[in-house]
Amino acid sequence: MRPSMFRSLQSAVARSSSAHIARRGYSADSVPERKVAVLGAAGGIGQSLSLLMKLNPLVSKLALYDIAGTPGVAADVSHINTRSEVAGYMGDDQLAKALEGSDVVIIPAGVPRKPGMTRDDLFNINAGIVKSLCSAIAKYCPNALVTMISNPVNSTVPIAAEVFKKAGVYDEKRLFGVTTLDVVRAKTFYAGKANVNVAEVNVPVVGGHAGITILPLFSQATPKANLSDEDIRALTKRTQDGGTEVVEAKAGKGSATLSMAYAGAIFADACLKGLNGVPDVVECSYVQSNITELPFFASKVRIGKNGVEEVFGLGPLSEYEKEGLEALKPELRSSIEKGIQFANQS
Ligand code: NAD
Ligand code: LMR
């Protein structure tokens, strides 16, 4: 990345946070202390995400944890002249220290897909990783907001919920599946097709985070555009297959890392703003929900001082979206049940 591009990225991140700092009436010196832990920090997502969190002025402590490689990543990131103090932690016996005092825990730990695999094919490895990390979170920072990136998100979030329930610390307001990348993709693809400024685009994406369970609501997209049914179908399919598009393009070298780090950083920033009391922080996320008959569902949520403060309903849907909603329910239900069963059996 050219230095000038990097500076504008850094100042864009800083600007969005400084604006809210000013609105809240505190100076940069009195921004609350916030510790963020990244679990899986030496991975493809983890490294870029750690960089982006180091650029976020709302973070005062950044704990980078992985089973290997974190000393190097932490030393590297720690030289960046921004607010947060960085520490690297490696291996099980340093996990407690990494987690203690965390306000937000971001989990991109686990294996990514290769071409030909579904996200559910990652279940056998990633379910165990998520379960053990969440057991540690329950013990060392039970009040943190937990943002789950590890796939299959449709199952890993229910696993986390069960682990927290068993430990007696479950608070549904504090557990989030990160579906921001679906929103990021929907915005980008819509802006391209509708020929509108991507910076002004909003598209809710609901359901879950795998194939047809990803349901972008282009009927609610703004700015409005007169797209044909065929265009909407193509945009929907491309958003649902966005992850596979990257997996195939990377040809065996993993899945989305850079766009995911960007999306994860946006979502973590929203959590920090919510915790700091910024009003009207709204993002789509996969959370415990009663807006459908499914116990977990992604929709717009308002994030505040205690985590999820409001889960928004779906709003008016087109006939095509209504069909998509009914079609996704069996798969999403079965992924949720698979996660719950795993957490309770193992
Ligand atoms: P990666 O293999 O590059 O990195 C994963 C990291 O996790 C590695 O550094 C590994 O050492 C670490 N790890 C493994 N077990 C661990 C443990 N017990 N504790 C801590 N760290 C551990 O993979 P990646 O490309 O960064 O992807 C990570 C995960 O994110 C995958 O499951 C992938 O499918 C998922 N993902 C989700 C989204 C989303 O939208 N939610 C998007 C992209 C990728
Ligand atoms: C994505 O949407 O890019 C991620 O879920 C990774 C994947 O396996 O597609």
Side-chain angles (χ1 to χ4, degrees):
M1 197 184 286
R2 289 201 314 272
S4 59
M5 284 171 69
F6 192 81
R7 273 196 301 276
S8 45
L9 170 65
Q10 184 181 15
S11 64
V13 174
R15 257 197 322 275
S16 70
S17 294
S18 322
H20 105 260
I21 287 166
R23 272 203 304 281
R24 295 299 298 162
Y26 41 66
S27 72
D29 293 340
S30 63
V31 184
E33 300 280 310
R34 294 289 177 203
K35 177 173 171 181
V36 172
V38 181
L39 311 185
I45 297 167
Q47 291 201 33
S48 306
L49 184 54
S50 300
L51 164 65
L52 293 174
M53 296 320 295
K54 177 67 176 129
L55 300 185
N56 190 319
L58 300 184
V59 182
S60 56
K61 279 197 173 148
L62 185 57
L64 306 183
Y65 173 81
D66 204 304
I67 49 173
T70 25
V73 177
D76 192 353
V77 168
S78 72
H79 290 183
I80 296 170
N81 58 325
T82 55
R83 179 186 182 209
S84 53
E85 194 182 286
V86 180
Y89 302 91
M90 191 169 73
D92 262 1
D93 54 344
Q94 296 191 1
L95 182 53
K97 271 240 151 42
L99 291 173
E100 271 160 11
S102 293
D103 297 289
V104 176
V105 179
I106 314 174
I107 313 184
V111 290
R113 283 200 283 166
K114 288 190 184 335
M117 292 172 81
T118 66
R119 291 178 182 82
D120 187 57
D121 292 333
L122 306 172
F123 187 97
N124 287 346
I125 298 180
N126 290 354
I129 293 175
V130 162
K131 188 174 175 230
S132 72
L133 291 174
C134 288
S135 303
I137 291 169
K139 207 161 163 192
Y140 300 112
C141 57
N143 295 322
L145 301 191
V146 176
T147 75
M148 182 71 70
I149 293 174
S150 312
N151 270 316
V153 168
N154 290 355
S155 303
T156 52
V157 169
I159 291 172
E162 290 304 303
V163 171
F164 295 150
K165 278 181 203 165
K166 278 194 175 175
V169 300
Y170 182 50
D171 176 354
E172 72 275 11
K173 294 190 177 72
R174 295 179 180 270
L175 175 60
F176 303 85
V178 182
T179 57
T180 318
L181 182 53
D182 302 317
V183 176
V184 164
R185 287 176 176 143
K187 286 178 175 179
T188 304
F189 303 156
Y190 178 85
K193 184 55 85 179
N195 201 17
V196 292
N197 179 357
V198 70
E200 287 168 19
V201 170
N202 272 305
V203 186
V205 181
V206 303
H209 178 69
I212 63 161
T213 71
I214 300 168
L215 183 62
L217 302 181
F218 287 113
S219 68
Q220 297 175 20
T222 54
K224 290 277 169 222
N226 225 349
L227 298 181
S228 67
D229 288 354
E230 198 187 323
D231 284 339
I232 296 294
R233 279 171 199 274
L235 283 175
T236 301
K237 176 113 180 62
R238 188 162 180 215
T239 306
Q240 291 174 333
D241 293 346
T244 306
E245 186 179 318
V246 179
V247 168
E248 281 169 3
K250 289 198 174 180
K253 297 249 163 64
S255 56
T257 51
L258 303 171
S259 52
M260 182 59 237
Y262 169 76
I266 289 182
F267 193 73
D269 184 60
C271 289
L272 291 164
K273 285 176 177 157
L275 286 176
N276 288 354
V278 175
D280 290 325
V281 178
V282 175
E283 291 289 337
C284 289
S285 180
Y286 179 66
V287 296
Q288 181 173 314
S289 170
N290 56 17
I291 66 166
T292 69
E293 60 274 36
L294 297 172
F296 293 91
F297 201 84
S299 68
K300 283 199 228 171
V301 301
R302 188 195 313 285
I303 306 170
K305 285 187 171 172
N306 299 307
V308 177
E309 293 201 331
E310 185 176 358
V311 178
F312 292 94
L314 297 177
L317 303 185
S318 67
E319 281 312 309
Y320 176 61
E321 289 160 358
K322 283 182 192 162
E323 281 167 26
L325 176 61
E326 290 316 306
L328 72 79
K329 285 179 182 171
E331 179 180 331
L332 188 49
R333 180 184 296 286
S334 119
S335 301
I336 293 168
E337 284 168 359
K338 186 171 174 180
I340 293 174
Q341 204 178 13
F342 170 84
N344 289 319
Q345 266 175 4
S346 51

